[in-house]
């Protein structure tokens, strides 16, 4: 009888440790997604940029910038992008629309800074997505 009860207890433990029926499901491998930017950035034009790049033209403090995130797909990206001005450390979070465009107010990001304006662009990715590049810097002069 003791062996019978021991067998039932052992079977119960093995059943509890089984991965069958687990709610976590299989582990998904990371997906690498390539992206770039095109559009108007602080008064300058960018076209399929995906590395640290000097933007031709002076930064415009007035108006706004409208940029397209090439490769945008809601399967891989969240709908936000972080813009960080590296000299004055201001941050702007912009929403990406369904077509992959985001806009920001130039004065809010660039402020009154003269000289070089370096801005790190960092889109938000979903879980198990590796962005290539993770981020990059656009810089221009005032």
């Amino acid at each position: 009888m003791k062996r019978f009860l021991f067998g039932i207890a052992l079977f119960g433990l093995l059943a509890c440790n089984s991965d069958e029926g687990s709610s976590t499901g299989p582990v998904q491998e990371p997906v690498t997604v390539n992206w770039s930017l095109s559009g108007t950035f602080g008064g300058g034009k960018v076209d399929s940029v995906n590395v640290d790049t000097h933007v031709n033209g002076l930064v415009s403090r007035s108006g706004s910038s409208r940029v397209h995130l090439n490769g945008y797909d809601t399967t891989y990206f969240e709908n936000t992008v972080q813009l960080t001005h590296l000299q004055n450390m201001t941050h702007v979070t912009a929403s990406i629309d369904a077509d992959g465009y985001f806009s920001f107010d130039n004065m809010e990001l660039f402020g009154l800074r003269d000289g070089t304006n370096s801005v790190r662009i960092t889109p938000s990715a979903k879980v198990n997505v590796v962005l290539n590049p993770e981020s990059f810097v656009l810089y221009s002069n005032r």
Side-chain angles (χ1 to χ4, degrees), residues 1 8 35 42-43 56-58 60 76 78 84 87 90 122 132 137-138:
M1 182 68 172
I8 290 175
W35 64 280
N56 291 326
L58 297 177
S60 173
Y76 307 113
E78 298 292 344
T84 304
Q87 282 77 26
T90 55
T122 311
N132 182 32
V137 176
L138 294 179

Side-chain angles (χ1 to χ4, degrees), residues 12-64:
L13 284 173
L14 291 174
C16 288
N17 289 331
S18 172
D19 284 338
E20 286 185 42
S22 174
S23 63
T24 58
V27 175
Q28 294 181 1
E29 293 295 319
V31 176
T32 300
V33 176
N34 297 313
W35 64 280
S36 63
L37 294 179
S38 297
T40 303
F41 185 84
K45 300 281 185 196
V46 292
D47 185 23
S48 297
V49 172
N50 66 356
V51 295
D52 294 356
T53 301
H54 180 265
V55 178
N56 291 326
L58 297 177
V59 168
S60 173
R61 293 180 179 140
S62 62
S64 62

